[in-house]
Amino acid sequence: MFLSVFDIFKIGVGPSSSHTMGPMVAAGRFLDRLRASPFTAHGLRASLHGSLAFTGVGHGTDRAVILGLAGFLPESFDAERGELTLAAIHASHQVTPDLPALRFDPKADLIFDYANPLTGHANGMVLMATDAQGDVILREVYYSIGGGFVVTEAELRAGSAATSGPPVRYPFESAEAMLAMARDSGLDIATMKRANELSRRDPAALSAGIARIWAVMNACIERGLEGEGILPGGLKVRRRAKGIHEQLMAERGLNLTAPHVINDWMSLYAMAVNEENAAGGQVVTAPTNGAAGVIPAVIRYWQDHVPGARQDKIEDFLLTAAAIGGLIKHNASISGAECGCQAEVGSAAAMAAAGLCAVLGGSPEQVENAAEIALEHHLGMTCDPVKGLVQVPCIERNGLGAIKAISAASLALRGDGQHFMPLDNCIEAMRQTGADMSEKYKETALGGLAVNVPNC
């Protein structure tokens, strides 16, 4: 099993990796199929199913599909050009990717099918190309399985494609195997993960790519600390990060500041990221958009508030976090539509706890313990976004996820790595809990906080 650090951390666009980035990627893949097809298409159609239907508007899925069919991709998305293109498509009823103009009326050709969920995954969509008479000549089913990952129906049946490519030196598929390889090799988790990455790319490309991931994460924090106003979507949620930051800066150096205020800094960095995500800004899946604030917040806390923090150790942090994220995705899920928010913020907290423990000098056993503590105390967490928007409770939930991650790393470092519940068992418990969880608590906005909102 090999999932690259660049699979876990993808640069993209908010507000959702599964509901925005994934559908846009699927549309791009469908255009590639169309370009290779011997048939001449005259029009396009799309239908959204399951969670993509129920919370698609709140997550921007409709916009993502339309723009994806117009040739936009998450990693290079230009928001201003996207708005102009959307307006042109609604006016002309056609899209013009790198193909002849194709008929596409968003009101008629993009269907939210609430009644017919697809069997492979909660986030299903069908893309179709039609001939001059409107008959379907090409059809593909795609599933957006979390974190920006997209598979076709055939790929889902065949199993993960993550094992393709050259063999890696440390092919661990469980935390138990990872720890055994660390003991046998005498290496830490980041070093083993780096060796695996180098089977696919050269050292300079690896370091440059990871540096860019952190640069985008940090830039997202900075934009969030400056952003003002009301977030889009209709809930009228105010952006709060700038005001909190100004208060904290004004209190710096005061002898009367309570020790617990450090928690406000941890939450602040995460909230800044997730406010940017909710506004549709550029973010990094970590491992998803809905949980994008936890890992950047923990890194920023470490860099700004922990004596001895080093910029050159951020790569070790992210490699360690990616190793844990890969185990969770491989053995359970990082998708809120599949396992609830335990799979998103819970996974992010586990990854962040592992990364922080590693750069603070933790052994592989302590790193595994940190990840387990953080994940264990998110088990059962539902995904119940109000109005299907990645705002309530998602923004504050990232802040609390960062606090839990830092606490978990600290607790693990106080021990020797020996503990009762192995990370593998905790991951399996999360998978089982997600399988048992009612669908209304898994990103459909049909239960929990999503239906307990003020009447106004």
Side-chain angles (χ1 to χ4, degrees), residues 13 31 69 88 130 185 203 271 278 327 333 361 366 429:
V13 60
L31 290 179
L69 292 175
T130 59
S185 66
M271 290 172 65
L327 292 177
S333 176
Q366 288 172 316

Side-chain angles (χ1 to χ4, degrees), residues 224-225 227-228 231-232 237-242 244 270-281 390 395:
L225 294 179
E228 296 181 282
L231 292 170
V237 173
R238 291 184 300 108
R239 296 179 70 137
R240 298 162 57 197
K242 182 177 182 181
I244 295 172
M271 290 172 65
V273 171
N274 284 86
E275 287 178 357
E276 274 295 292
N277 178 62
V390 193
I395 294 170

Side-chain angles (χ1 to χ4, degrees), residues 372-396:
E372 186 278 325
I373 294 171
L375 183 60
E376 179 179 77
H377 298 290
H378 284 88
L379 290 179
M381 182 174 282
T382 59
C383 183
D384 47 0
V386 176
K387 204 177 176 181
L389 299 168
V390 193
Q391 297 178 19
V392 180
C394 320
I395 294 170
E396 289 179 352

Side-chain angles (χ1 to χ4, degrees), residues 9-10 74 116 174 212 267 335 346 387 424 428:
F9 300 116
K10 300 185 185 73
N116 299 291
S174 67
R212 182 166 182 248
S267 293
S335 168
K387 204 177 176 181
D424 288 329
E428 174 59 16

Side-chain angles (χ1 to χ4, degrees), residues 400-436:
L400 274 294
I403 292 171
K404 284 187 181 182
I406 294 164
S407 297
S410 185
L411 280 173
L413 287 165
R414 295 290 182 185
D416 60 4
Q418 302 303 308
H419 57 105
F420 182 80
M421 182 62 64
L423 176 59
D424 288 329
N425 295 56
C426 191
I427 292 171
E428 174 59 16
M430 186 186 80
R431 188 196 66 77
Q432 293 173 2
T433 303
D436 292 340

Side-chain angles (χ1 to χ4, degrees), residues 34 57 70 90 96 105 115 121-122 126 156 176 216 230-231 240 281 300 304 327-328 356 428 431:
L34 198 54
V57 173
H90 279 282
T96 54
D105 177 358
H121 191 276
V126 182
L156 190 69
E176 181 181 20
V216 174
I230 304 297
L231 292 170
R240 298 162 57 197
R300 186 66 178 264
D304 289 3
L327 292 177
I328 296 172
L356 181 61
E428 174 59 16
R431 188 196 66 77

